Amino acid sequence: MTEQLDAGLVARRIAGSDQVGEPRDPAEGREVGRARRRREDARLITGRTRWTDNIQLPGMLHVAFLRSPMAHARLTRVDVSAALAMPGVVAAFSGRDFAGEQGSLPCAWPVSEDVVIPDHPPMAVDRVRYVGEAVACVVATDRYRAADALEAIEADYEPLEAVLDMTEALSDGAPAVHEAGNQAFTWRFSGGDADAAFHDAPVVLDRTYVQQRLIPTAMEPRAVVAVPEGEGFTLYSATQIPHILRVMLALTTGIPEHLLRVVAPDVGGGFGSKLQVTAEEVLGLLLARRLGRPVKWTESRSEGNLTAHHGRDQIQRISVAAERDGRIRGVRVDLLADMGAYLMLVTPGVPLLGAFMYSGVYKMDAYDFTCTGVFTTKVPTDAYRGAGRPEATFAIERAVDELAAELGLDPVEVRRRNWISREEFPYTTVAGLTYDSGDYEAATERALALFGYDELRAEQADRRERRDPVQLGIGVSTYTEMCGLAPSRVLGSLSYGAGGWEHAAVRLLPTGKVEVVTGTSPHGQGHETSWSQITADALGVPFEDVSVLHGDTAVSPRGMDTYGSRSLVVGGVAVLAACEKVKEKAKRLAAHLLEAADDDVEFADGTFRVRGTDQGRTIQELALAAFAAHDLPDGFEPRLDADATFDPENFSFPHGTHLCAVEADTETGRVAIRSYVAVDDVGRVVNPLIVEGQVRGGIAQGIGQALFEEAVHDTGGNLLTTTMADYLIPSAADLPDFVTDRTETPATSNPLGVKGVGEAGTIAATPAVVNAVVDALRPHGVRDVPMPCTPERVWRALARSRANDGGTR
Amino acid sequence: MGEAAHEIALTVNGVLRRTRVPGRRLLSDCLRHDLGLTGTHVGCEHGVCGCCTVLLDGEPVRSCLMFAVTADGHEITTVEGLADGARMSPVQRAFAECHGLQCGFCTPGFLCTVTALLRENPAPSGEEVLEGLSGNLCRCTGYQNIVRAVHRAAEIMAEERAEEA
């Protein structure tokens, strides 16, 4: 073990003693690939955590927002004066009070020439466009009193017609959400000749799927603490994106970037919901600036359901042209995407992230995609786990199952006939992406075996034969996705406002310990553990000797943060790159001290040795030698550290095969998942424990969309699912145990061979489950059940089908 | 105009704590913001998610659904009080061992719930574990590792009982 730092020891070592710290023991094997227990857990299981809402500061005030009860209205008057007289109230403001300085919440992804980016004031000034939009705020000495005082604010509204349905919103004479109308943008993409593919096609399938509106529901509610400090401000926020947030807040508020520090302390889940620049973050800063005191806002769950961005909400029309043998000729997609009332950070970009994935794992001659973004009077949509790719995968995987049914073929067989075979990689798809690696055959074979596919099909046939009221359904999903966002050049070509690189710094401290600074911003993903593993292997230091710093722009000044399954694929690779640079420096120093040529020095297991001799220096000895600086090569700076950025040349393309068996009660509509098998290929794996955790959690969310979750509005545009009793995320009792396994086809686009894993489970699971539900009901003539497939919807689908059928089934 | 404040005394994690709170102060807010025990989390404020679960005289309760004044004179255990000094409780150890947490926000509630569950039923069946956990929500894990952690904790506790005997 390494010894504790003490001055005498350091002095001895500087004087030329033998060792500082110790390299890791090579007999322990490599860290990468090892199921390390997470170093994050110690603080999380003992309550020694630092969530934004924990922060208490002297003089801190609490903010509460008055929110519009109308989905669409003119805001004619806001009078906060009575609130000012309430106990504990320090200040109260309407949107008008900040009209000159609050600016407009940013949209960083102007996707097209025709995109309409409406003004989006953090507090409404004269118009409200969704229930929950902030119209005034109170700042008080405690949260309860701030809430009390909201009651005293007078706000007058002239109601306007709510705009809730996308098709109606685009029709002539629809009430306009914004002056420019209800169309936010149109975006088209095509590869190959779709007209030719569809012309005379022996089979053409036409389906419409609805991606219901979802509420991401991270367990930690959003919270913001804004603190005037020195010349500038520190903003603590439960955010996934401290770096992007800092830039955006500087642009939005006019607070100079160098005087603004953003901190993401412990953050309790995000799933895209904290990939945002929110009204409350902007207003928190403006209030701290105006009042000169720290202010805090923590949302309640109901407030969050109303006002934090939602996800999905698309209507997908998909057409598939195919041969009689099941081979797909082409796919056409016409998409309506509900933007909600405004375009937030990446709102219009979400459907584009799916646009390249509608061909899935399949080869085809032609693909045609059209998307229309639509404004409605609902809270804006934006990224939710998978962002665009779950929608695309759902549509193509559902359609392939429908094609199989239409042709009377096994759905796995139809997939085999169409997918890119293992020897065809790298493969450029009809959508123009180059999938670098994959092995769909291997993942599928493994999944079928674990699932007991043939046995379940036999049981299904038997139950169908017996007209068992409880039918068995089998759903298949052979998904792939593009993640590891993203090559900066590609993002630029898609009009995104920033790049997709990631930054890391690695610093060897004088005692041989290592600080890793990452631009990723974990909120449950375990980067502190995985990045330590990568560093331990690269530098030959013990895992315990590494610490990982993140989530504070004063500590980690550069980064692109955490979303889009990018952290390992981009940020982890940046850590490796920084380690390599440190080793280059250390090698030069070792050569100098050992009086050898650089090229004669080799590195293994934490020690630089002169080739063919037993002469060497450990990396820890070199760290101390660099610090002491007594004997350095000319021009060598007295430190062993390095910065690196990594900008991937390609996305990463994890894939896999998920199989789901459901039992559907045709009398009650109840659906129960009987078994679920997931075989994923996420390339090389740094920590199997964490990877499996991501897969399981992802599947749970995918199942949530398939069976349970939906944001529901009434005809006036009021959200009805404002509590966790109304918006149902799965509980332990709702989910079976999943069987998970992996195949491993390394990515060729990065030196670690890794692919992203954060979103894979969610992308794969939803179509697997719905395919299973429909498969169970198909003998009853059911071809689709809209999500979520609740007992009521299953029952209605059966009833409708029986009615159409004259009740013969 | 001030709100009437009430003097209350709670024994929290074995320590007698006195504080003054308005009648409407939630126990969760009192623990977090008055007593500085921020390990108890508030996830929904309507008693559904279970993040705020603490033990009141050994029984799991939702601290977001209780007023602090109603806890006057009672014993409360929060996540900060589960470990025995530096030694994590079997439930805590099992959660880390089985990767039963990711973001960790729901974890203190689960730890308290499971601690009570295993005290009541030291060897629960699979079905009993699912039922026991169904009042706590987690958005990260998909629950299976939490379920594993409960069984593993039961195992550790049984081993430790055997060693003591």
Side-chain angles (χ1 to χ4, degrees):
Chain A
M1 287 307 296
T2 55
E3 297 165 67
Q4 290 296 308
L5 169 65
D6 81 38
L9 183 68
V10 171
R12 268 202 324 280
R13 285 172 179 172
I14 292 171
S17 180
D18 49 350
Q19 281 243 325
V20 173
E22 281 174 22
R24 61 189 300 268
D25 181 358
E28 282 185 18
R30 291 175 59 80
E31 279 292 339
V32 169
R34 186 170 167 186
R36 267 270 178 203
R37 288 186 206 166
R38 300 195 319 166
R39 57 192 320 163
E40 289 85 347
D41 290 355
R43 68 175 191 275
L44 295 167
I45 59 175
T46 51
R48 287 185 285 108
T49 31
R50 199 170 58 125
W51 312 100
T52 301
D53 183 62
N54 293 5
I55 296 169
Q56 302 240 46
L57 295 167
M60 191 170 78
L61 299 171
H62 298 259
V63 185
F65 292 97
L66 183 70
R67 298 187 177 279
S68 169
M70 306 254 170
H72 196 191
R74 269 188 210 93
L75 182 62
T76 54
R77 186 180 75 103
V78 180
D79 183 353
V80 299
S81 53
L84 287 168
M86 298 280 286
V89 173
V90 172
F93 302 103
S94 68
R96 210 168 282 281
D97 295 323
F98 279 105
E101 57 182 302
Q102 67 174 344
S104 182
L105 292 174
C107 171
W109 204 335
V111 290
S112 63
E113 290 287 319
D114 71 350
V115 69
V116 175
I117 301 183
D119 193 40
H120 186 186
M123 265 200 296
V125 176
D126 51 19
R127 179 97 167 249
V128 289
R129 294 183 174 86
Y130 64 90
V131 172
E133 191 167 357
V135 300
C137 66
V138 168
V139 189
T141 51
D142 80 47
R143 192 179 172 210
Y144 291 56
R145 287 173 154 167
D148 287 345
L150 294 181
E151 308 273 334
I153 297 175
E154 290 176 30
D156 293 340
Y157 303 87
E158 277 177 23
L160 298 165
E161 209 176 322
V163 181
L164 304 174
D165 178 275
M166 284 194 275
T167 313
E168 284 172 24
L170 292 177
S171 64
D172 289 341
V177 180
H178 295 284
E179 256 176 41
N182 296 337
Q183 182 174 299
F185 68 91
T186 51
W187 196 85
R188 289 191 178 80
F189 175 83
S190 60
D193 185 345
D195 288 341
F198 278 80
H199 181 70
D200 287 342
V203 184
V204 173
L205 207 81
D206 225 334
R207 292 287 188 275
T208 299
Y209 299 120
V210 176
Q211 295 286 329
Q212 79 271 35
R213 193 172 258 256
L214 300 176
I215 303 180
T217 319
M219 292 311 296
E220 183 207 19
R222 293 176 303 157
V224 174
V225 174
V227 188
E229 261 175 348
E231 288 180 81
F233 297 87
T234 299
L235 184 86
Y236 299 87
S237 181
T239 181
Q240 296 174 226
I241 53 162
H243 298 94
I244 294 173
L245 187 58
R246 182 194 194 196
V247 178
M248 289 296 169
L249 287 172
L251 293 170
T252 308
T253 63
I255 294 170
E257 190 181 352
H258 64 295
L259 299 180
L260 180 59
R261 172 185 168 205
V262 175
V263 184
D266 282 324
V267 176
F271 316 112
S273 69
K274 294 170 181 169
L275 165 51
Q276 194 52 274
V277 178
T278 67
E280 295 83 2
E281 287 162 336
V282 171
L283 291 166
L285 275 175
L286 298 184
L287 289 166
R289 178 162 69 182
R290 194 169 286 198
L291 301 171
R293 291 171 69 172
V295 299
K296 177 177 180 175
W297 169 78
T298 301
E299 72 184 1
S300 70
R301 178 61 60 182
S302 300
E303 192 178 20
N305 280 13
L306 275 173
T307 63
H309 73 247
H310 292 174
R312 313 281 194 269
D313 207 343
Q314 299 179 356
I315 299 172
Q316 309 167 293
R317 187 171 161 204
I318 181 167
S319 308
V320 178
E323 308 289 352
R324 282 255 142 239
D325 64 2
R327 274 184 298 134
I328 298 170
R329 292 165 65 151
V331 167
R332 272 196 179 120
V333 174
D334 191 351
L335 190 70
L336 292 181
D338 190 344
M339 305 286 100
Y342 302 97
L343 302 187
M344 296 198 72
L345 193 62
V346 298
T347 302
V350 170
L352 270 62
L353 289 171
F356 304 96
M357 295 312 303
Y358 279 89
S359 60
V361 298
Y362 310 112
K363 296 176 284 189
M364 58 189 73
D365 298 332
Y367 167 57
D368 191 73
F369 175 88
T370 305
C371 172
T372 306
V374 185
F375 289 118
T376 59
T377 53
K378 296 180 192 171
V379 74
T381 56
D382 207 311
Y384 169 55
R385 201 171 192 169
R389 292 151 288 155
E391 297 93 311
T393 303
F394 181 89
I396 186 67
E397 288 304 295
R398 280 286 295 115
V400 168
D401 258 35
E402 291 299 308
L403 180 64
E406 182 99 1
L407 297 171
L409 294 169
D410 183 287
V412 176
E413 179 54 30
V414 172
R415 286 169 169 83
R416 280 199 189 101
R417 289 179 190 180
N418 284 290
W419 70 34
I420 301 155
S421 61
R422 57 164 74 98
E423 58 276 6
E424 290 175 290
F425 289 94
Y427 183 89
T428 300
T429 71
V430 70
L433 294 172
T434 300
Y435 296 175
D436 61 322
S437 70
D439 189 339
Y440 308 145
E441 293 90 335
T444 303
E445 286 316 312
R446 184 88 55 95
L448 292 172
L450 289 168
F451 191 63
Y453 187 78
D454 295 336
E455 294 81 350
L456 283 167
R457 282 286 181 213
E459 181 185 333
Q460 177 183 52
D462 177 56
R463 289 201 193 194
R464 285 180 177 178
E465 180 75 20
R466 286 191 284 117
R467 302 203 173 192
D468 191 331
V470 179
Q471 285 288 319
L472 183 68
I474 295 168
V476 185
S477 169
T478 49
Y479 78 99
T480 186
E481 59 139 335
M482 54 182 255
C483 68
L485 306 178
S488 297
R489 275 184 306 224
V490 176
L491 291 177
S493 73
L494 293 172
S495 308
Y496 180 61
W501 48 264
E502 196 45 85
H503 174 262
V506 171
R507 303 194 282 255
L508 271 152
L509 305 177
T511 56
K513 310 295 181 185
V514 186
E515 279 178 344
V516 174
V517 180
T518 177
T520 64
S521 197
H523 38 281
Q525 296 88 344
H527 297 177
E528 292 168 32
T529 302
S530 300
W531 287 199
S532 296
Q533 290 179 273
I534 292 168
T535 305
D537 272 357
L539 299 180
V541 300
F543 172 85
E544 295 77 10
D545 285 2
V546 183
S547 80
V548 177
L549 308 175
H550 58 79
D552 179 345
T553 59
V555 172
S556 158
R558 283 176 286 280
M560 283 292 180
D561 307 313
T562 288
Y563 47 85
S565 306
R566 69 184 306 273
S567 293
L568 176 60
V569 185
V570 192
V573 173
V575 170
L576 180 66
C579 288
E580 294 302 327
K581 282 188 173 176
V582 167
K583 280 195 317 208
E584 279 307 305
K585 281 191 185 172
K587 182 178 176 182
R588 208 178 133 215
L589 179 57
H592 172 79
L593 294 173
L594 295 165
E595 298 177 342
D598 286 8
D599 289 346
D600 289 337
V601 174
E602 59 186 6
F603 175 79
D605 302 327
T607 301
F608 294 84
R609 285 192 179 78
V610 180
R611 218 179 296 274
T613 74
D614 59 357
Q615 296 259 308
R617 290 282 190 281
T618 67
I619 197 162
Q620 291 89 350
E621 290 172 319
L622 294 168
L624 185 56
F627 167 74
H630 296 168
D631 183 10
L632 301 178
D634 289 341
F636 193 97
E637 292 183 323
R639 52 197 168 88
L640 280 189
D641 58 13
D643 286 73
T645 53
F646 179 67
D647 196 334
E649 285 180 8
N650 195 356
F651 296 92
S652 89
F653 301 96
H655 71 82
T657 299
H658 287 216
L659 300 170
C660 177
V662 302
E663 292 189 341
D665 188 323
T666 56
E667 288 166 355
T668 65
R670 182 171 178 272
V671 168
I673 297 178
R674 182 162 119 182
S675 61
Y676 194 102
V677 169
V679 177
D680 294 283
D681 193 323
V682 296
R684 289 235 165 78
V685 165
V686 173
N687 186 323
L689 200 65
I690 288 176
V691 163
E692 197 192 323
Q694 287 289 322
V695 168
R696 289 181 182 278
I699 293 170
Q701 283 184 12
I703 292 174
Q705 175 172 14
L707 297 182
F708 304 110
E709 299 179 29
E710 182 175 32
V712 182
H713 294 80
D714 69 11
T715 52
N718 295 292
L719 182 71
L720 301 177
T721 50
T722 55
T723 75
M724 292 182 107
D726 304 302
Y727 187 85
L728 301 179
I729 67 169
S731 81
D734 294 322
L735 300 173
D737 198 357
F738 314 139
V739 177
T740 61
D741 200 355
R742 283 187 283 108
T743 55
E744 199 167 306
T745 316
T748 63
S749 50
N750 66 70
L752 281 173
V754 294
K755 307 173 183 178
V757 68
E759 296 159 301
T762 304
I763 291 167
T766 312
V769 176
V770 177
N771 276 340
V773 172
V774 175
D775 187 52
L777 307 178
R778 210 179 285 283
H780 292 260
V782 172
R783 289 200 317 185
D784 194 30
V785 179
M787 294 188 289
C789 304
T790 57
E792 181 193 337
R793 288 200 167 153
V794 169
W795 187 88
R796 281 185 193 283
L798 283 163
R800 220 175 6 251
S801 162
R802 285 183 190 123
N804 291 342
D805 234 24
T808 54
R809 284 173 201 267
Chain B
M1 186 181 83
E3 256 180 297
H6 306 267
E7 179 97 22
I8 58 170
L10 317 169
T11 305
V12 188
N13 303 326
V15 179
L16 182 67
R17 306 286 300 263
R18 291 178 194 283
T19 186
R20 286 176 67 78
V21 290
R24 62 176 173 168
R25 190 120 178 112
L26 298 175
L27 178 58
S28 52
D29 284 342
C30 175
L31 290 169
R32 287 179 52 74
H33 301 307
D34 301 336
L35 304 181
L37 292 166
T38 50
T40 298
H41 303 153
V42 179
C44 75
E45 294 179 81
H46 38 253
V48 179
C49 76
C51 287
C52 68
T53 304
V54 298
L55 302 179
L56 184 85
D57 301 327
E59 292 298 315
V61 298
R62 309 272 151 132
S63 62
C64 80
L65 291 186
M66 264 189 86
F67 293 121
V69 288
T70 60
D72 185 25
H74 291 272
E75 289 203 11
I76 291 168
T77 306
T78 68
V79 67
E80 290 95 337
L82 294 180
D84 180 7
R87 186 166 167 75
M88 299 296 116
S89 77
V91 178
Q92 289 171 308
R93 275 178 272 152
F95 267 67
E97 189 182 319
C98 300
H99 189 32
L101 61 149
Q102 291 181 25
C103 84
F105 195 81
C106 69
T107 309
F110 271 98
L111 294 173
C112 288
T113 299
V114 172
T115 299
L117 173 77
L118 293 179
R119 195 178 290 150
E120 183 109 329
N121 182 357
S125 67
E127 210 43 45
E128 287 167 336
V129 168
L130 287 182
E131 196 192 319
L133 293 177
S134 62
N136 288 68
L137 296 175
C138 168
R139 191 59 155 167
C140 294
T141 64
Y143 300 103
Q144 288 123 33
N145 287 347
I146 295 178
V147 171
R148 263 168 218 137
V150 180
H151 292 294
R152 176 68 190 130
E155 221 173 82
I156 296 173
M157 288 162 78
E159 285 164 15
E160 290 186 354
R161 275 194 302 274
E163 276 165 30
E164 280 168 28

